[in-house]
Amino acid sequence: MKIVIIGAVAGGASAAARARRLDEDAEIVLIERGREPSFANCGLPYYVGGEIESRDKLLVAPADRLRQRYRLDVRTRQEVTSIDRVKQTVDVRNLETGETYTESYDRLVVSTGASPFRPPIPGIEGPHVLELRDLADADRMFDRVATGGSRRAVIVGAGFIGIEVAENLVRRGLDVTVVELADQILPPWDPEMVRSLEDHVRQQGVTLKLNDSAAAFEEATSDDANLVVKLASGEALPAGFAVVCIGVRPESGLAAESGIETGPRGGIVTNDHMQTNDPNVYAVGDVAQVKDFITGEPTQIPLAGPANRQGRIAADHIFGRDSVYRGTQGTAIVGVFGKTAAMTGHSEKLLQRANLPYEKIYIHPSDHAGYYPGASSMTLKLLFNPDNARIWGAQAIGTTGVDKRIDVIAMAIHARMTVYDLEEVELCYAPQYGSAKDPVNMAGFVAAGVLRGDQPVTHCHFVPPTDQPRDWFVLDVRSPGEFASGHIHDAVNIPLEELRDRMSELPTDRRIVVYCFVGQRGYMATRILNQNGFDVCNLCGGFKSWQQQYLLETQS
């Protein structure tokens, strides 16, 4: 068996290593156009920022190790230029010498990844407009910031890479501006979840330009700027350099030219074994179109974990094992200046776009027991199907403990569990690590309570900050001091402890929306009033969620 693998990062390297473990006699040729195979591209921003001090730490499996440990034929700085599926050959060009040759294969694995999207903006190909895909890109950016020559940077795009680059350039002492076409940072998240992060990013000194985009990159000759970034709004931003981080596109052109089928977003169409429409050709990683684990629909989600699993599954299938890729559910995490944002499954935006039924709840628990020193708050949003209680997805924002909770919910989604299962799941507890009622349990309690009808909820968009009369009665059950420090317009304050004795002050002909700070006292008030015949619902997430959606939104 002769296997040729195009691309030696993540999926390609994983496929090669797995193939060798399965067959000592197979001939495995790994062709990589870059200088280093199998590098940690997720660590590139942190090398630029100095958090990762040694460049060598980014080399997960250097070429010599792949050759010696796995007996792989690793060819770096060589590029496959065409695929002949009839002859089962690939044409290769040596980028150092210009030499070309043809290599045969029994099975071909395409792991060409995805390249940064660079729209046709005037000046985008200029020398001071950078991107961050590979080690060569990281070296160029590192040279700009480590020497102290460039003190201002403009980042176009506020997704994962854009925010990570911003954080690391600030760490280097640069003045950073981030430009984002959407009305929020981290577009995969729902907007209300990241409002507090936007405020946090600004507090670190980053200037955010939301609802705006780069219209042109123009060369400059001033002492403190190499270029000027012209925005669609008309604003001009001088900078030493710009970094374009506005998404990636699968590098599927090579495969498409050979007749390999691609999807509407350019990804190579694969089956559950990572095979293409040619059974001798497989595609893995960011170049491959896969299925959404939750809905089964085709999707394109570039993540390192799925890429590595896909490479392993392709190798298994090549050697006769019935390995199946179950799909990608989009579990992701990003650090934001000491805070953490994590998500798994579908966002509310995606559910709305797909016209799928959903309900949502918000909670604001501490990462561990509140009586133990150092507890910090997080915000967790859980989305679920009201018809069968299955979990659609979750998002969490906080400082510590966020990754643990999203990982647990990711496993619950993978196991096809429901919100009722989250109520019962048993997680480890000690006061420095969690609570007897873990945030995952709490999310299950609230969601299951909604489905059982124990606590009808409403959401912040039904209670906007307006001076106009409402059809419902807004009841604040916090203490008078809390109420005085800030409250929803036209709300009436009756502390929870006084509610049973003051129910005569409440209307019986209007719906009552109850709220407290995070929702717990609101839930208790909802139960009291519901059992006394009132039409009542709890504002999910309480005043804290309302503040995050409206007060921070108006500051943005």
Side-chain angles (χ1 to χ4, degrees):
M1 175 74 72
K2 181 177 181 180
I3 304 168
V4 171
I5 301 171
I6 309 173
V9 180
S14 178
R18 178 64 172 172
R20 174 56 71 223
R21 289 193 294 271
L22 294 176
D23 191 329
E24 265 295 299
D25 298 323
E27 183 180 355
I28 304 170
V29 180
L30 196 56
I31 301 174
E32 168 59 44
R33 69 184 176 191
R35 295 188 182 281
E36 296 94 353
S38 192
F39 63 88
N41 49 8
C42 294
L44 297 179
Y46 302 96
Y47 167 64
V48 171
E51 188 74 7
I52 297 174
E53 296 181 0
S54 171
R55 184 183 186 276
D56 290 344
K57 294 289 187 182
L58 297 172
L59 303 178
V60 178
D64 286 344
R65 183 186 303 171
L66 293 174
R67 294 184 182 110
Q68 295 167 7
R69 183 173 296 179
Y70 297 98
R71 291 296 189 267
L72 302 177
D73 182 354
V74 181
R75 306 176 188 178
T76 57
R77 295 293 292 154
Q78 299 193 30
E79 182 177 24
V80 174
T81 58
S82 65
I83 301 169
D84 188 326
R85 295 193 296 113
V86 176
K87 296 180 180 179
Q88 291 190 201
T89 60
V90 295
D91 291 331
V92 186
R93 181 175 68 248
N94 187 314
L95 299 177
E96 297 291 344
T97 66
E99 173 195 3
T100 61
Y101 63 94
T102 299
E103 193 73 42
S104 65
Y105 66 83
D106 296 314
R107 298 291 185 272
L108 180 68
V109 179
V110 180
S111 182
T112 44
S115 58
F117 178 54
R118 293 175 75 86
I121 301 172
I124 196 169
E125 300 301 332
H128 305 297
V129 182
L130 311 180
E131 59 190 22
L132 192 57
R133 183 196 184 190
D134 55 27
L135 280 165
D137 294 331
D139 291 337
R140 281 189 286 270
M141 198 178 302
F142 184 91
D143 290 342
R144 295 275 184 148
V145 301
T147 61
S150 297
R151 306 322 306 157
R152 283 189 290 184
V154 174
I155 299 168
V156 182
F160 291 91
I161 301 299
I163 292 300
E164 289 173 346
V165 171
E167 177 180 11
N168 282 282
L169 294 185
V170 167
R171 182 180 286 122
R172 287 289 192 179
L174 272 69
D175 181 358
V176 176
T177 299
V178 177
V179 180
E180 170 56 52
L181 179 62
D183 64 351
Q184 64 173 95
I185 66 170
L186 300 176
W189 275 257
D190 290 324
E192 79 281 7
M193 290 296 291
V194 297
R195 292 302 179 215
S196 62
L197 285 182
E198 290 167 359
D199 188 53
H200 179 64
V201 168
R202 291 187 178 97
Q203 291 173 7
Q204 310 307 309
V206 176
T207 301
L208 292 181
K209 302 287 185 182
L210 304 178
N211 291 302
D212 212 340
S213 60
F217 300 94
E218 297 181 357
E219 294 287 322
T221 56
S222 64
D223 293 337
D224 61 346
N226 295 314
L227 81 164
V228 174
V229 182
K230 296 289 187 68
L231 304 185
S233 62
E235 191 171 357
L237 305 175
F241 63 94
V243 187
V244 176
C245 306
I246 52 179
V248 296
R249 298 293 186 271
E251 286 207 38
S252 56
L254 178 68
E257 289 170 3
S258 73
I260 298 294
E261 182 184 0
T262 59
R265 295 176 59 189
I268 297 174
V269 176
T270 60
N271 64 15
D272 290 347
H273 307 296
M274 306 312 300
Q275 278 177 306
T276 69
N277 58 308
D278 182 334
N280 295 318
V281 180
Y282 295 73
V284 301
D286 295 353
V287 75
Q289 174 184 289
V290 295
K291 69 179 180 182
D292 184 301
F293 175 80
I294 298 171
T295 66
E297 295 297 316
T299 191
Q300 192 86 35
I301 304 177
L303 292 169
N308 280 277
R309 292 196 300 278
Q310 292 160 21
R312 179 185 177 91
I313 286 165
D316 275 1
H317 194 258
I318 287 171
F319 288 102
R321 299 197 176 194
D322 191 29
S323 293
V324 170
Y325 185 65
R326 300 181 185 181
T328 300
Q329 66 189 59
T331 305
I333 191 167
V334 61
V336 186
F337 292 98
K339 292 189 177 294
T340 302
M343 69 183 303
T344 187
H346 284 201
S347 65
E348 185 173 3
K349 291 186 292 189
L350 286 179
L351 293 170
Q352 290 175 343
R353 197 176 305 155
N355 198 29
L356 292 169
Y358 72 92
E359 181 56 273
K360 61 182 178 180
I361 60 97
Y362 301 86
I363 60 172
H364 303 280
S366 294
D367 66 314
H368 63 250
Y371 63 82
Y372 191 88
S376 62
S377 175
M378 71 178 72
T379 295
L380 194 155
K381 177 180 184 178
L382 184 72
L383 296 138
F384 52 96
N385 188 332
D387 298 330
N388 59 19
R390 286 270 180 87
I391 303 163
W392 284 127
Q395 300 172 35
I397 308 292
T399 304
T400 56
V402 167
D403 53 341
K404 170 183 175 180
R405 275 68 191 203
I406 292 299
D407 280 344
V408 170
I409 296 173
M411 283 296 296
I413 292 174
H414 204 78
R416 311 285 187 187
M417 295 168 70
T418 69
V419 299
Y420 301 118
D421 294 313
L422 296 188
E423 289 184 291
E424 302 299 331
V425 67
E426 183 177 336
L427 303 174
C428 60
Y429 162 62
Q432 65 269 46
Y433 298 109
S435 300
K437 295 177 181 178
D438 191 86
V440 172
N441 298 128
M442 293 301 302
F445 294 151
V446 177
V450 170
L451 294 182
R452 293 188 182 108
D454 291 341
Q455 62 154 328
V457 296
T458 191
H459 297 288
C460 295
H461 60 274
F462 290 114
V463 193
T466 175
D467 294 339
Q468 297 178 359
R470 298 189 177 97
D471 294 332
W472 52 84
F473 184 89
V474 181
L475 175 63
D476 186 320
V477 296
R478 298 176 298 162
S479 69
E482 290 175 286
F483 183 80
S485 68
H487 57 268
I488 297 174
H489 178 74
D490 279 348
V492 173
N493 182 220
I494 301 178
L496 175 64
E497 294 75 14
E498 302 174 15
L499 184 59
R500 292 180 178 87
D501 299 324
R502 297 176 60 182
M503 284 190 290
S504 61
E505 301 175 32
L506 301 176
T508 57
D509 59 346
R510 297 168 66 191
R511 188 167 212 201
I512 299 172
V513 175
V514 179
Y515 74 91
C516 61
F517 185 59
V518 297
Q520 185 173 15
R521 284 172 289 176
Y523 163 61
M524 295 172 66
T526 300
R527 296 298 302 146
I528 292 169
L529 296 178
N530 180 269
Q531 294 175 72
N532 280 276
F534 289 91
D535 180 10
V536 60
C537 60
N538 187 18
L539 180 61
C540 194
F543 190 62
K544 185 169 183 176
S545 284
W546 190 88
Q547 281 183 307
Q548 288 178 344
Q549 178 147 345
Y550 290 117
L551 297 189
L552 289 173
E553 188 174 90
T554 59
Q555 296 169 10
S556 298

